[in-house]
Amino acid sequence: MTEFPKKQQFAPSLPETEDDSIDLAALAGTLWRGKWIIALATALALLIGGYYAFVVATPLYRATSVVILQTKQDNIVDLQSVVGGMSGDSTEVNSEIEVLRSRGLMGKVVDRLDLINDPEFNGELREPGLVANVTGGIRNSIGALFGGDEASELSDIEAQSRRDAVVSALLDKVSISNIRQSLVFNVTVETESARKSARIADAIVELYILNQIEVKFEATEQATTWLTNRVGELQVELEAAETKASDFSSRTELVSIEGLQALERQIKDMRERIATAEQTVSSAQAELEGLRAAEAIEDKVALADDTQLTRMAQRLDDGPEMVAAFDNRYQMVINRKALDLARAEQQLEALRRSAVELERQVARQGQDLITLQQLTREAEATRTLYEYFLTRLKETSAQQGIQQADSRVLSNAVVPGAPSEPRKSRILALSMILGMMIGAGIVLLREMRNNSFRTARELENHTGLTVLGQIPEIPAGKRPNVLRYLLDKPTSAAAEAVRNLRTSLMLSNVDNPPQVILSTSSVPGEGKTTNSLALAANLLGLGKRVLVIEGDIRRRTLNEYFPTLPTSGIVGVLSGEMRFEDAVHRPADFGADVLAGDKTATNAADLFSSDRFRDFIEEMRGRYDAIIIDTPPVLVVPDARIIAQVADAILFTVYWDSTSKQQVEEALRMFDQTKQRISGLVLSQISARGMKRYGYGGQYGAYGAYGAKYYTE
């Protein structure tokens, strides 16, 4: 088998490194190729948007009422208010926005304007649909099951639910905004009626201001009620405190701070006298003990300090009578000292009792004074509190009729002259943008999901093999007419493409051109048989002897091109049942010999693996200049890889924009497993219209836009 060069041998590709970069030129090219899809999507989006804006959408009218917070208010009278005014900080501004959007305020608007009976806000008043009819039937059935109080309770719940739904609908149509760096609020309402929008906006502002006055009035009224009750309670407490102080004062001795101070001075004097008495007692006790302890005459005389005793001491020598008189006199002195000590102790005890009594009297009167002072202070405090609350009660009562709101209306809502919604120009612009985005998304998604080959460059980059031919669709209708078209229109694009394939195949090895050519594909229906016959017919134009062998003996596809083929063919020749000359057939207007397949139970793989087949091919090499073998698809049966062992060149056909990349990869991998080289690829059945649709019509091969000047269709 003659081998000839190829671009690159196919091998299972390794995972490619992901590239995060975006090829903007390729992206722009893809979008340009899908420009008609994008244009169609844009046109449809514009049509839908226009239909919605001009036909479906309900006109909405927007009205705005303006209100301002007043942080400084003039007082009619100089009285302290129960509810303070606004300070104007951001917290209060945000709080007032929420007050304007509160469900309580919106509920008052609903009640005032009777929006429950407005179909725009109450969906139950609109024309009921299928779902509403079914829901109503269920509700009626449930109502029939209940009776008496249960039905009334359910009705109340439904009424409350209906009112809540209307309030929610009103909230959806109201927007509150604060003008930056100001205390001004815009209350905007958007409904289906211009007058209704203005009326609702004014009602919201009016009720908001009225609500501020009501809040202050209610606060003042509550404060007045509370102050009235509190003043009454304080009056009772004051009377009770004063009575208690008066009763206590009448039950106790008249005391004062001055009297207590005099008693304290008496206690001080008494304590000094006690101290003096204690010293006297102590001295007397010392003298008495000294007298009693003395033994010597001189000591007794010195301690007694008695004149008579001194004289008697000088006369002790007169006799025993004088000594006895001295002792009697000394004992008399001791008795006198003892008597003085007793009197001093009695005085000290009396002074101490008097001091204790004075202290008790001071303590008792001090406690009474404290109690009286406490009762007096409680009465005074109650009186002060009573007078303060009485004053606040009179002030609060005077404020009930002079309350002012913290806001005022800057401008009432103006009835709009034109609807604010729908904004037709914006809808159309957004529809156009959305349509372009959807169209671009469809184009990019289709490009991402593309798993086939549309150009020879894609096929070569993916497989690493050379594309030898690009065959366009042959507008022949049925298969028998294909060869007739090529013969009748030798200057057509299809005929020139086959010549390009023949030229590329022959020039792939100039020194040793291939003689045995195998034609195969991944799966059936890719055009390999048509390419085989077209290539054979083209080789005949070079004056070569050509033999076409049907290698697909299971399907006998050549019978569809040449209905006159005999029923016996290559199987009979290889088995020896008939001669080659009897089996070969030359169809009319074809010029090449055709050896068809047979209907047989013989295993095709065993047949083509035999030495008889190899010998047969060698014999045919001597008879013909070119032998083209049309084989079954590679992914279906192994026949093609077996026959390839005797071939000089292998042409692998890929169906344009149809055969998946996985099918091509798997088929080429199977050839690579047996070390068989693919000579080249053929991109078959290319649609010129499809290539133009994808944006390739002016760039590639025989189906290029410039080919019309050279081809005759």
Side-chain angles (χ1 to χ4, degrees):
M1 179 181 68
T2 303
E3 295 183 357
F4 59 114
K6 66 182 184 67
K7 182 177 180 180
Q8 180 182 348
Q9 184 175 348
F10 175 81
S13 59
L14 296 174
E16 297 180 357
T17 302
E18 294 186 0
D19 188 3
D20 293 336
S21 61
I22 299 176
D23 190 346
L24 296 180
L27 179 62
T30 300
L31 295 177
W32 177 252
R33 291 194 296 271
K35 56 184 177 294
W36 296 114
I37 296 178
I38 297 176
L40 178 60
T42 303
L44 289 175
L46 281 173
L47 182 62
I48 295 173
Y51 179 74
Y52 171 78
F54 291 94
V55 179
V56 176
T58 302
L60 299 178
Y61 297 86
R62 183 177 298 167
T64 300
S65 184
V66 185
V67 64
I68 183 173
L69 285 180
Q70 292 180 314
T71 58
K72 295 182 179 179
Q73 298 183 0
D74 296 330
N75 292 328
I76 299 176
V77 293
D78 188 15
L79 298 177
Q80 183 180 357
S81 177
V82 174
V83 181
M86 296 290 181
S87 63
D89 60 7
S90 60
T91 303
E92 285 193 347
V93 169
N94 295 330
S95 300
E96 290 306 305
I97 291 178
E98 294 304 319
V99 171
L100 282 166
R101 286 189 51 84
S102 64
R103 296 185 65 88
L105 181 62
M106 294 303 164
K108 293 180 180 179
V109 176
V110 168
D111 296 336
R112 168 177 284 196
L113 300 181
D114 194 22
L115 297 182
I116 292 180
N117 295 321
D118 190 335
E120 183 178 357
F121 295 92
N122 190 353
E124 297 180 1
L125 301 180
R126 301 171 195 154
E127 189 67 25
L130 178 60
V131 176
N133 290 330
V134 174
T135 306
I138 296 174
R139 187 184 298 110
N140 294 333
S141 300
I142 295 175
L145 294 176
F146 297 99
D149 296 338
E150 291 81 358
S152 177
E153 181 179 356
L154 186 61
S155 178
D156 293 340
I157 294 175
E158 289 180 350
Q160 184 61 38
S161 300
R162 186 181 301 111
R163 185 177 183 275
D164 291 341
V166 173
V167 171
S168 299
L170 177 59
L171 281 171
D172 292 338
K173 297 179 180 295
V174 175
S175 62
I176 311 296
S177 62
N178 168 240
I179 299 178
R180 291 176 59 86
Q181 305 299 324
S182 74
L183 300 177
V184 178
F185 300 99
N186 290 328
V187 180
T188 303
V189 180
E190 190 175 55
T191 67
E192 298 175 3
S193 170
R195 294 186 177 276
K196 186 194 302 181
S197 298
R199 191 168 69 254
I200 293 175
D202 289 340
I204 292 174
V205 171
E206 180 182 350
L207 289 174
Y208 167 68
I209 296 175
L210 181 61
N211 179 70
Q212 290 180 341
I213 298 177
E214 290 176 349
V215 168
K216 289 187 176 183
F217 182 81
E218 290 176 0
T220 304
E221 186 177 13
Q222 291 176 359
T224 301
T225 302
W226 184 82
L227 287 172
T228 301
N229 296 332
R230 186 58 181 155
V231 165
E233 294 173 357
L234 289 174
Q235 184 177 3
V236 174
E237 292 178 6
L238 176 60
E239 293 176 355
E242 289 179 344
T243 302
K244 189 174 181 180
S246 176
D247 293 343
F248 181 81
S249 178
S250 63
R251 289 197 308 269
T252 58
E253 297 179 1
L254 185 62
V255 295
S256 64
I257 296 177
E258 292 79 6
L260 285 177
Q261 291 175 351
L263 289 175
E264 288 177 353
R265 286 194 297 271
Q266 291 180 11
I267 290 175
K268 183 179 179 181
D269 294 341
M270 186 66 68
R271 287 173 179 170
E272 291 176 354
R273 293 174 61 187
I274 290 172
T276 302
E278 287 177 348
Q279 291 178 358
T280 301
V281 169
S282 178
S283 298
Q285 287 178 349
E287 290 178 359
L288 181 61
E289 290 176 356
L291 290 172
R292 289 176 178 175
E295 294 181 357
I297 296 301
E298 294 80 1
D299 295 337
K300 290 180 179 181
V301 173
L303 293 172
D305 191 21
D306 184 76
T307 305
Q308 187 176 357
L309 188 64
T310 303
R311 288 194 301 265
M312 293 175 71
Q314 295 174 355
R315 295 172 60 190
L316 288 177
D317 295 336
D318 294 345
E321 292 85 0
M322 186 56 68
V323 171
F326 179 84
D327 290 338
N328 291 332
R329 183 66 182 175
Y330 186 75
Q331 184 63 41
M332 187 183 297
V333 171
I334 291 175
N335 292 335
R336 189 173 63 248
K337 289 291 183 183
L339 183 61
D340 293 340
L341 176 62
R343 284 198 299 270
E345 288 178 346
Q346 290 176 356
Q347 291 177 357
L348 176 61
E349 184 64 25
L351 289 173
R352 286 177 175 174
R353 286 195 300 269
S354 298
V356 170
E357 182 63 26
L358 284 175
E359 289 177 352
R360 289 177 180 175
Q361 185 179 358
V362 169
R364 184 176 63 254
Q365 292 189 6
Q367 185 64 37
D368 291 343
L369 180 60
I370 291 172
T371 303
L372 181 61
Q373 289 177 341
Q374 183 176 357
L375 292 175
T376 304
R377 284 196 299 270
E378 289 179 358
E380 291 298 327
T382 304
R383 179 181 297 279
T384 301
L385 193 61
Y386 168 75
E387 292 175 353
Y388 173 76
F389 274 94
L390 183 61
T391 302
R392 287 295 294 150
L393 174 61
K394 294 180 179 180
E395 292 178 353
T396 304
S397 300
Q399 290 176 5
Q400 287 185 331
I402 58 173
Q403 295 295 343
Q404 294 181 348
D406 294 322
S407 303
R408 64 183 177 88
V409 178
L410 280 184
S411 62
N412 291 317
V414 178
V415 178
S420 58
E421 296 290 345
R423 298 182 181 180
K424 299 176 182 179
S425 58
R426 178 181 294 182
I427 292 176
L428 293 178
L430 292 177
S431 299
M432 182 179 68
I433 295 173
L434 181 61
M436 293 175 65
M437 293 175 62
I438 293 175
I442 293 174
V443 171
L444 295 177
L445 180 62
R446 186 183 65 173
E447 191 71 18
M448 291 174 59
R449 292 178 58 85
N450 175 41
N451 196 31
S452 59
F453 301 98
R454 294 174 181 165
T455 65
R457 180 174 297 178
E458 289 181 3
L459 185 55
E460 288 180 345
N461 291 338
H462 190 78
T463 61
L465 302 175
T466 302
V467 175
L468 298 179
Q470 303 179 58
I471 310 299
E473 288 181 331
I474 300 176
K478 298 180 180 180
R479 289 186 176 183
N481 299 331
V482 171
L483 297 178
R484 172 57 56 187
Y485 178 86
L486 295 175
L487 291 175
D488 293 344
K489 298 183 181 295
T491 59
S492 63
E496 292 295 343
V498 175
R499 290 191 186 93
N500 286 333
L501 171 61
R502 178 199 68 190
T503 302
S504 299
L505 181 62
M506 293 296 105
L507 293 179
S508 61
N509 193 340
V510 180
D511 298 330
N512 191 10
Q515 186 177 3
V516 179
I517 303 169
L518 182 142
S519 177
T520 188
S521 63
S522 301
V523 292
E526 297 195 65
K528 59 179 179 56
T529 303
T530 300
N531 293 341
S532 299
L533 295 176
L535 180 60
N538 213 280
L539 289 172
L540 290 173
L542 299 178
K544 295 182 179 293
R545 294 170 297 169
V546 181
L547 172 64
V548 178
I549 300 177
E550 186 172 23
D552 190 356
I553 63 176
R554 294 172 174 82
R555 295 181 58 196
R556 289 176 56 86
T557 307
L558 292 180
N559 286 341
E560 299 180 13
Y561 292 89
F562 308 113
T564 60
L565 284 178
T567 57
S568 298
I570 187 171
V571 177
V573 173
L574 296 179
S575 62
E577 296 178 0
M578 59 186 309
R579 295 183 309 116
F580 170 76
E581 289 77 8
D582 297 330
V584 74
H585 176 70
R586 179 171 293 181
D589 300 329
F590 186 53
D593 292 339
V594 178
L595 182 59
D598 301 59
K599 288 186 177 181
T600 177
T602 304
N603 185 279
D606 296 341
L607 178 66
F608 294 124
S609 299
S610 64
D611 294 335
R612 289 173 295 172
F613 178 69
R614 292 189 183 88
D615 296 339
F616 172 74
I617 294 299
E618 287 298 328
E619 181 182 353
M620 294 301 105
R621 285 178 183 273
R623 295 189 181 187
Y624 294 94
D625 298 317
I627 302 170
I628 300 176
I629 306 176
D630 183 46
T631 63
V634 178
L635 298 181
V636 180
V637 291
D639 300 0
R641 291 187 293 159
I642 296 173
I643 299 174
Q645 296 176 1
V646 299
D648 299 331
I650 301 174
L651 292 179
F652 189 89
T653 298
V654 177
Y655 192 173
W656 176 85
D657 202 24
S658 177
T659 307
S660 68
K661 295 177 181 178
Q662 290 79 6
Q663 290 172 339
V664 173
E665 289 175 359
E666 182 62 20
L668 297 181
R669 187 186 65 83
M670 296 177 71
F671 274 110
D672 190 71
Q673 286 178 345
T674 56
K675 308 300 180 183
Q676 295 170 339
R677 296 181 178 179
I678 303 296
S679 304
L681 305 175
V682 179
L683 190 59
S684 179
Q685 303 187 55
I686 300 174
S687 171
R689 182 175 299 176
M691 292 300 286
K692 292 180 181 179
R693 185 173 65 251
Y694 293 135
Y696 301 121
Q699 304 176 33
Y700 298 96
Y703 43 86
Y706 49 78
K709 299 180 181 179
Y710 295 89
Y711 308 135
T712 302
E713 301 294 343

